[in-house]
Amino acid sequence: MDAAEFRRRGKEMVDFVADYQENIEHRRVYPDVEPGYLRSMIPSEAPLEPESYEDVLRDVDRVIMPGVTHWLSPHFYAYYANSTSFPSILADLLSSGIGTIGFTWAANPACSELETVMLDWLGKMLQLPEDFLSETQGQGGGVIQGTASEATLMALLSARLKTVKCVQESDPQRSEADIISKLIAYTSEEAHSSVEKASIIGGVVIRMVPTDEHFSVRAETLEKMVAEDKATGFIPFFFCATLGTTPCCAFDKIDELGPICNAENIWMHIDAAYAGCAFICPEFRPLLNGVEFADSFSINPNKFLLVGFDCSAMWVKKSADLTRAFQMDPEYLKHEHQGSGLVKDYMHWVIPLGRRFRSLKLWFVFRMYGLSGLQAFIRKHVELAKTFEILVRDDNNFEICAEVVMGLVCFRLKGSDELNKALLKQITRTGKIHLVPCTLRGRFVLRFVVCGRTTELRHIQEAWKHITELSSKLLQNLFDHEGKEN
Ligand code: PLP
């Protein structure tokens, strides 16, 4: 493909994507395919000779589309979804087109510098303390990680090294292996599984902290666990707080947990992957009070800020804690501006060396929506979630299972887990809307997340109508079955 053909095909591809998104709501949101469906549809080996672009594109429709779960559909209410937008998609195209790999400042000065400024812009939108910003020329700053999981892992590994060094300062004879075997991390029993995964990769013990009646971790619970563990020779070193837990969007009390972590030399990382984006709205910002005690903090603009996957923004108060843990300095990566206060070599802040030009997505989206546009987007979703909550509350067959703070509504049919599992199975089978479940206090619960860029009130009403029609049939069957048995 030469530049002339790329020009033509590129325009066609933009049309293809625009058509796809414009008509997405008419597609079945959840695909009707069986595992292994794809292998039989394409050859078992790569072609020896080049094929035509038309053939490839034809197979997108024939092979790929039937197996796609349409995350951007207004009927998609699962997970905490991807909220991309056209400006973000165009920025991604530009990033691919430039094809730069910005691991050091020298590898691409624009990539490194735009990232630093964008993280400051976003940090200011969130009203983060100045300690976390780069422009103050202090010790802090922001970086784009691929995912929230990587942000948590980076924080845990940095905390591990910091604690090992600290213990060795007072006890130089103690080996690193011995110290690591005694390290203990903490997180909420409601935290995302990526926190436990980080502890496995880091080779440290993790304890799940029980939550209160609002699914929040409270200070006295953590304090008690830390005291118990210290008494048995463990070294508490890391606490991952969650703002907006995955099952039900609960918020740990970071304003009361932070002082404990600071007093005990425990690194506090805050995982606010989804909910953190909403802190750009002043009405939600109080939930972030206490961030001043944190060592690191991350949110995923790709979850709730109209930026496409992948983009996890992470800030640290002392960037040296991160970079010291991962500093590699081979000759081929050195450059003349290394070490200058104005230069950031982000390869020291992340696990991979190579990194895409992801800050372009932030730049395009921030400029084309403005803070007010992003706030309006978030507020609309929260309002739609509240509407769905009212519909659920008004129906005697259903119950709400957790406080609705942002775009997530946790609900269930009053009755057994089996009944709710059967309802979800019907929802998935019909493929009209897509939801995933969670477990709250041992009960099977349905999660309904308003997340689509194009989701409107009518979609919420249609979704609820669909859910109640399916549940009425299920309840009727149950009633008939019980009637027969009696
Ligand atoms: N943390 C929380 C609170 C989440 O809800 C999720 C995913 O939904 C994650 C972490 C994992 O996100 P990622 O895919 O960016 O690692």
Side-chain angles (χ1 to χ4, degrees), residues 71 79-84 148 192 246 271-275 277 299-309 311 377 381 449-451:
W71 279 60
Y79 314 107
Y80 283 136
N82 181 16
S83 65
T84 193
H192 191 265
T246 315
D271 172 9
Y274 160 77
C277 301
I299 69 167
N300 279 20
N302 67 258
K303 287 199 191 296
F304 208 9
L305 277 182
L306 294 164
V307 176
F309 185 81
C311 185
F377 170 73
H381 280 67
V449 190
V450 181
C451 43

Side-chain angles (χ1 to χ4, degrees), residues 14 85-95 364:
V14 168
S85 61
F86 291 125
S88 175
I89 294 170
L90 289 176
D92 251 346
L93 177 62
L94 179 61
S95 166
F364 276 40

Side-chain angles (χ1 to χ4, degrees), residues 29-312:
V29 61
Y30 190 68
D32 186 17
V33 290
E34 293 298 321
Y37 90 95
L38 187 143
R39 185 171 278 280
S40 64
M41 298 176 83
I42 58 173
S44 56
E45 284 178 30
L48 183 60
E49 301 298 336
E51 295 185 49
S52 74
Y53 181 76
E54 284 84 357
D55 283 348
V56 178
L57 208 59
R58 205 169 300 122
D59 278 354
V60 170
D61 271 333
R62 186 182 67 89
V63 180
I64 303 301
M65 284 304 175
V68 170
T69 302
H70 298 288
W71 279 60
L72 301 183
S73 164
H75 307 305
F76 188 93
Y77 301 104
Y79 314 107
Y80 283 136
N82 181 16
S83 65
T84 193
S85 61
F86 291 125
S88 175
I89 294 170
L90 289 176
D92 251 346
L93 177 62
L94 179 61
S95 166
S96 299
I98 294 176
T100 196
I101 302 186
F103 37 77
T104 58
W105 181 89
N108 184 352
C111 179
S112 168
E113 296 203 8
L114 187 65
E115 183 159 339
T116 307
V117 180
M118 285 309 101
L119 272 283
D120 275 358
W121 277 18
L122 184 52
K124 286 184 200 169
M125 289 188 213
L126 295 162
Q127 295 176 44
L128 286 185
E130 285 193 348
D131 299 353
F132 289 99
L133 305 182
S134 296
E135 72 170 19
T136 54
Q137 296 285 311
Q139 300 181 51
V143 58
I144 301 177
Q145 303 282 352
T147 59
S149 307
E150 287 163 73
T152 303
L153 177 62
M154 288 299 291
L156 181 133
L157 295 178
S158 305
R160 191 183 75 166
L161 183 78
K162 192 176 179 187
T163 309
V164 168
K165 295 267 176 265
C166 180
V167 173
Q168 281 182 332
E169 261 166 35
S170 56
D171 189 357
Q173 302 309 320
R174 208 161 166 190
S175 73
E176 184 174 335
D178 176 47
I179 298 168
I180 290 177
S181 73
K182 291 289 176 198
L183 293 182
I184 189 155
Y186 304 87
T187 197
S188 164
E189 59 183 351
E190 298 293 326
H192 191 265
S193 57
S194 52
V195 186
E196 193 176 352
K197 198 187 237 183
S199 77
I200 295 169
I201 298 170
V204 294
V205 176
I206 191 158
R207 282 187 77 186
M208 302 300 165
V209 186
T211 53
D212 69 6
E213 68 278 19
H214 302 291
F215 304 97
S216 311
V217 171
R218 305 302 302 263
E220 63 267 31
T221 321
L222 179 68
E223 206 166 18
K224 198 162 152 273
M225 289 171 79
V226 167
E228 275 167 20
D229 292 331
K230 280 169 66 180
T232 52
F234 279 101
I235 308 169
F237 83 108
F238 181 75
F239 171 61
C240 179
T242 313
L243 295 181
T245 59
T246 315
C248 70
C249 203
F251 295 82
D252 291 342
K253 296 277 178 207
I254 54 168
D255 53 345
E256 54 181 52
L257 291 156
I260 294 167
C261 291
N262 287 183
E264 297 286 351
N265 269 330
I266 294 173
W267 179 300
M268 182 161 86
H269 173 68
I270 301 173
D271 172 9
Y274 160 77
C277 301
F279 301 149
I280 64 165
C281 300
E283 63 272 32
F284 292 118
R285 179 57 179 76
L287 290 164
L288 189 57
N289 289 347
V291 67
E292 60 275 16
F293 299 109
D295 295 278
S296 53
F297 167 64
S298 78
I299 69 167
N300 279 20
N302 67 258
K303 287 199 191 296
F304 208 9
L305 277 182
L306 294 164
V307 176
F309 185 81
D310 53 346
C311 185
S312 183

Side-chain angles (χ1 to χ4, degrees), residues 452-464:
R453 183 177 53 83
T454 55
T455 309
E456 299 291 342
L457 179 61
R458 69 183 168 88
H459 298 115
I460 304 295
Q461 288 164 336
E462 273 170 36
W464 179 243

